[in-house]
Amino acid sequence: MAASQSIGEALQECPGTMTGSTEPSQIHLQLTDNPSEVVVMWATERRGNAVVEWNGQSADGDSYCYNHDMAFHMATMSDLTPGEEVTYRVGDGGDWSQEYKFTPIDIDANRFEWIAIADYGDSSEAVDVSGAIIADTTAQLVTISGDISYADGEQSAWDDWFVDQEASMTRIPWVTAVGNHENEPGYGFTPYAHRFDADEMKETEPFWYSRDFAGVHMVFMSTEHDYDLGSAQYAALEADLSAANANREERPFIVVIAHKPMYSSNSYHGSEMALREAVEELYQTHSVDLVIAGHDHFYERTWPVFQEEPQSFGGEDGTLFGQGFGPIHIVAGNAGRTPYTEVDEPQPAWSAYREVDTFGYMKIIYDEETRSLSFTFHRTDETIGDQFTIQEGVLNEKEDDTFQLIPGFGTLLPLISLIGAAFLRRDVVLD
Ligand SMILES: [Fe+2]
Ligand SMILES: [Fe+2]
């Protein structure tokens, strides 16, 4: 799935008047939808050529600017063997970076591990999260569910942020969904679109797209662009989810990464009702397993839910879930920004667990042997905030006595949907 808008006209030549160094900085990897290639992006003060060298090969890339005094470069390492380590460096053919190493993700491996965060910035708590990400040597990827650097129009803040993340981003790709803070005063989404090459930027803008990994089909959608029925994004989402749902044998789990949450019991923003009205049914129809959002700066997990009604309380004291009841929605807005500490009382029935005033990151592991996806919220103090597992298929009651599904829920579903629709609130949540 790729966004349909062309960015061609937005790619600007760099002015010849730029001064300073051609030493590469802000080096970071990005994925395309081809697992045998990886894009590397970097910035320099002065414009110059873009060259990447890896494993004895080399390729020329593209250089471009936007309304900021740095030149950006992007080059593709191709014909890579997934799972085999690559050594690379970037430069202009004369000035080179140091050498870095990464291992291209094998999307057919029997294990895949990634870290998910949202609402990040550069506070001391965010630096703690960065440290934890760097220390985690088994994560193959980082996803950010929006609100990334909080540059908010100050372009040097992005430069500093990318330099801060280099130790991780030169080794594993960070793949992103846009948040409201990527829509910057005076710049719109231009800085985001030029600094992250999530989907072959020359042709498309990286606002909605999907990627396959071992066991997981991952969809990055934008809550900051039109997602209503009839929009380009809705059509792309529908086509993508439908194809992914037909491919469960190969990739049993579907995960959506998006900024604003359709379920949040935080009093600051709360549930994004317009989003829920637009896409919840689509997610239900195609059995999305997990949605990881941010925007409210706290942690929350729902039960598998549809139209505000919990569809299952899982097994093993609510830590094990099967598939097909409804997505579990996560708000993971706790990677470094000021916590929003007020929550709605009483806790809604759909909310399984919530926690304010802590910081951390989510680690998600797909294991081919058990065909399961295990999720752990790690706090920065190295304690665990929450943990659960989704396994392929429906939980077997006979094998698991603690399994408790709400009695008769399956048969009541159409009725509940009708009641739910009648009571669906229509308030617009302002940011
Ligand atoms: Fe935020
Ligand atoms: Fe936000």
Side-chain angles (χ1 to χ4, degrees):
M1 179 174 71
S4 58
Q5 293 163 282
S6 168
I7 199 174
E9 66 273 24
L11 273 181
Q12 294 171 22
E13 283 272 327
C14 295
T17 51
M18 299 177 84
T19 56
S21 162
T22 54
E23 185 191 340
S25 69
Q26 308 181 44
I27 301 166
H28 58 109
L29 301 175
Q30 274 301 332
L31 299 176
T32 72
D33 54 12
N34 178 348
S36 71
E37 64 181 37
V38 168
V39 169
V40 55
M41 303 182 77
W42 68 99
T44 55
E45 290 174 347
R46 187 151 52 88
R47 73 177 188 174
N49 296 327
V51 186
V52 59
E53 285 188 349
W54 76 100
N55 291 3
Q57 300 185 67
S58 111
D60 292 336
D62 295 308
S63 300
Y64 51 92
C65 282
Y66 70 96
N67 189 19
H68 172 48
D69 57 359
M70 295 292 283
F72 295 89
H73 315 278
M74 175 168 62
T76 304
M77 293 175 267
S78 53
D79 297 322
L80 306 175
T81 307
E84 282 186 19
E85 191 175 70
V86 172
T87 303
Y88 72 100
R89 63 178 187 170
V90 297
D92 63 1
D95 279 346
W96 292 101
S97 69
Q98 67 176 82
E99 288 192 336
Y100 298 98
K101 290 181 193 299
F102 75 98
T103 303
I105 298 171
D106 181 355
I107 69 166
D108 298 312
N110 56 19
R111 196 173 172 90
F112 170 58
E113 306 191 16
W114 91 94
I115 285 171
I117 57 173
D119 300 274
Y120 193 42
D122 61 355
S123 66
S124 64
E125 290 87 355
V127 170
D128 290 344
V129 170
S130 309
I133 291 171
I134 292 161
D136 185 322
T137 55
T138 57
Q140 296 165 275
L141 183 81
V142 173
T143 60
I144 309 187
S145 299
D147 285 5
I148 300 168
S149 74
Y150 288 79
D152 296 330
E154 183 61 50
Q155 297 308 302
S156 59
W158 270 118
D159 298 330
D160 295 342
W161 186 87
F162 273 102
V163 169
D164 290 346
Q165 312 312 330
E166 251 187 350
S168 173
M169 291 180 128
T170 51
R171 191 168 56 81
I172 57 174
W174 290 34
V175 190
T176 52
V178 276
N180 50 301
H181 282 274
E182 278 64 69
N183 189 0
E184 297 181 55
Y187 291 88
F189 291 101
T190 298
Y192 173 84
H194 284 70
R195 288 167 178 274
F196 287 95
D197 174 46
D199 207 342
E200 296 168 38
M201 192 173 69
K202 279 181 286 183
E203 288 157 32
T204 60
E205 285 182 299
F207 297 129
W208 54 88
Y209 57 96
S210 63
R211 291 287 179 267
D212 283 328
F213 301 102
V216 179
H217 179 75
M218 210 181 289
V219 178
F220 298 81
M221 70 85 69
S222 171
T223 58
E224 313 309 306
H225 295 81
D226 191 358
Y227 45 62
D228 286 331
L229 184 66
S231 66
Q233 180 170 209
Y234 186 97
L237 259 179
E238 185 169 42
D240 187 83
L241 290 175
S242 157
N245 195 26
N247 192 33
R248 296 277 179 170
E249 186 52 41
E250 194 174 5
R251 307 202 192 282
F253 297 101
I254 301 177
V255 177
V256 174
I257 306 290
H259 184 56
K260 288 177 183 146
M262 70 173 81
Y263 286 95
S264 166
S265 68
N266 194 288
S267 308
Y268 195 82
H269 292 301
S271 302
E272 186 75 7
M273 297 307 295
L275 176 69
R276 196 197 290 172
E277 287 173 31
V279 300
E280 183 177 30
E281 204 166 306
L282 192 60
Y283 289 5
Q284 190 74 7
T285 302
H286 299 295
S287 295
V288 169
D289 297 287
L290 185 64
V291 180
I292 305 175
H295 196 49
D296 270 327
H297 299 173
F298 80 136
Y299 175 82
E300 184 162 43
R301 167 171 61 91
T302 71
W303 300 108
V305 62
F306 183 57
Q307 296 184 343
E308 298 200 353
E309 297 290 342
Q311 304 295 302
S312 162
F313 295 118
E316 299 192 351
D317 296 327
T319 62
L320 180 65
F321 299 91
Q323 289 184 292
F325 291 103
I328 292 173
H329 295 262
I330 304 292
V331 179
N334 56 358
R337 297 296 290 183
T338 306
Y340 302 156
T341 53
E342 271 186 53
V343 291
D344 298 346
E345 299 291 354
Q347 184 173 9
W350 44 258
S351 173
Y353 180 71
R354 59 188 183 175
E355 182 175 306
V356 298
D357 223 1
T358 53
F359 297 91
Y361 64 97
M362 316 301 136
K363 180 81 181 278
I364 304 111
I365 300 173
Y366 171 72
D367 180 1
E368 175 69 29
E369 202 173 313
T370 51
R371 305 272 287 184
S372 67
L373 201 61
S374 71
F375 179 105
T376 306
F377 157 32
H378 294 271
R379 301 190 191 104
T380 44
D381 66 5
E382 297 187 1
T383 56
I384 286 174
D386 191 24
Q387 201 160 30
F388 64 93
T389 299
I390 308 173
Q391 71 173 47
E392 185 180 35
V394 177
L395 292 186
N396 185 337
E397 285 179 73
K398 284 175 197 146
E399 284 173 12
D400 181 0
D401 333 313
T402 58
F403 176 61
Q404 23 170 308
L405 180 65
I406 301 173
F409 232 79
T411 49
L412 282 173
L413 197 58
L415 179 62
I416 287 158
S417 304
L418 278 174
I419 295 167
F423 285 95
L424 212 55
R425 289 180 293 135
R426 290 188 175 270
D427 22 334
V428 174
V429 181
L430 298 174
D431 177 42

